[in-house]
Amino acid sequence: MPTDTPAATGAGSVLPEIPEFAAPGRVAPSLRGKVDWQDGEIVELRAETPRMLTVRLALPVWNAHVAGQHYMVRLTAADGYTAQRHYSVASSPGDTGHIELTVDRVDGGEVSGYFHGAARVGDRIEVRGPLGGFFAWAGDRPALLIGGGSGLVPLVAMLRHHRAAAPGSAAADVGVELLACVRTPEDLPYRKELTGDQVTVVHSRVAPPGLPVGRLTPEMVAPYAARAVAEDREVYVCGSTGFAEAVGRMLTRAGVPPTRIRLERFGDAVPTDR
């Protein structure tokens, strides 16, 4: 789902050029090469928003993922043509035996088009994973999460992982905050979960009664950035290329070291799936 690029400080304000973000990896690297394709069975299809659909899959071979990792999905037509896309895992690492992938409907998207138009409970889908290590969060350090649109998917996995930690454990005691940026209330996925003191929702086009409307600004990011610096938080930013890079500039301008920031970007308005 396209998201509005966060706003600059004011008229004529120019944010610095995007730096190279390279947070040192601490979690296990990608399992690429160690996992095989397998057929997952669709056991539930759940609409999150008018454009986002959660697909719950039961896996015959389940490898515990780290929040922030993804799976490859492969569809094969009767004539042998294949289409592959990667989707971040939305479910908690503790959801044994299952994964949930939230699929954004992309105009002209082959794989998202199948899920939104033809997929049924009981269908079997080829998947491979979990993959990816750079954007993964092990849950043992405080974190600031900032996402826009479908970029919220891996961040929700992190939030679910944190909330599922046993009370009193080290994982439960680390600080986690989420800034969720959407255009309208109807565009907010996981609506029942994205509540509470941990979560702030920014509405750029239409907001619920009594809440402000507007894009994410450096002034809004500043207090979160200050806490991230004070608590040495890892910062995870996911969204469209313009969104992620604008947020990255805001964070560095607010004093967050680039080495603490991990950006996950995806292209805008292209006929491919995420």
Side-chain angles (χ1 to χ4, degrees):
M1 178 178 67
T3 55
D4 292 334
T5 300
T9 304
S13 176
V14 178
L15 290 169
E17 288 300 314
I18 192 78
E20 291 295 325
F21 294 102
R26 297 183 306 100
V27 301
S30 167
L31 293 175
R32 190 181 301 277
K34 298 182 181 180
V35 293
D36 298 319
W37 288 99
Q38 60 175 313
D39 288 337
E41 181 181 353
I42 298 177
V43 295
E44 183 183 1
L45 295 167
R46 184 172 66 251
E48 299 288 353
T49 75
R51 295 188 64 87
M52 298 176 71
L53 176 74
T54 291
V55 181
R56 183 170 176 83
L57 296 168
L59 300 182
V61 178
W62 186 79
N63 296 301
H65 65 278
V66 179
Q69 289 188 300
H70 67 273
Y71 268 72
M72 291 296 299
V73 173
R74 180 168 66 189
L75 302 180
T76 303
D79 62 1
Y81 173 78
T82 62
Q84 295 183 184
R85 300 292 184 267
H86 69 87
Y87 291 101
S88 297
V89 183
S91 46
S92 165
D95 193 2
T96 308
H98 298 82
I99 57 170
E100 292 189 352
L101 310 176
T102 300
V103 180
D104 188 26
R105 186 175 74 241
V106 177
D107 294 337
E110 295 172 317
V111 178
S112 72
Y114 162 76
F115 281 117
H116 279 267
R120 299 291 183 269
V121 171
D123 287 354
R124 305 189 72 82
I125 306 296
E126 279 191 292
V127 296
R128 184 169 181 260
L131 303 170
F134 172 76
F135 202 71
W137 179 65
D140 57 345
R141 288 180 62 88
L144 169 60
L145 319 175
I146 305 178
S150 58
L152 290 168
V153 177
L155 307 184
V156 163
M158 297 175 189
L159 186 66
R160 287 172 167 171
H161 179 41
H162 179 257
R163 289 177 170 177
S169 67
D173 290 339
V174 300
V176 175
E177 291 183 296
L178 170 62
L179 265 173
C181 303
V182 294
R183 291 183 173 181
T184 73
E186 289 71 29
D187 294 320
L188 180 67
Y190 322 110
R191 202 167 306 169
K192 293 181 179 179
E193 296 178 73
L194 296 188
T195 60
D197 295 339
Q198 285 179 294
V199 180
T200 300
V201 181
V202 178
H203 300 88
S204 64
R205 301 286 181 87
V206 178
L211 294 181
V213 177
R215 295 181 293 172
L216 192 65
T217 65
E219 292 77 14
M220 296 170 66
V221 170
Y224 294 90
R227 285 192 290 274
V229 172
E231 300 176 16
D232 194 26
R233 295 189 178 199
E234 293 182 342
V235 184
Y236 294 80
V237 181
C238 188
S240 66
T241 298
F243 175 91
E245 294 189 352
V247 172
R249 294 187 186 99
M250 291 181 192
L251 290 166
T252 55
R253 184 174 186 175
V256 180
T259 54
R260 305 308 300 162
I261 302 170
R262 304 182 190 219
L263 294 187
E264 179 83 346
R265 314 168 179 88
F266 53 91
D268 299 322
V270 292
T272 56
D273 301 315
R274 182 183 183 292

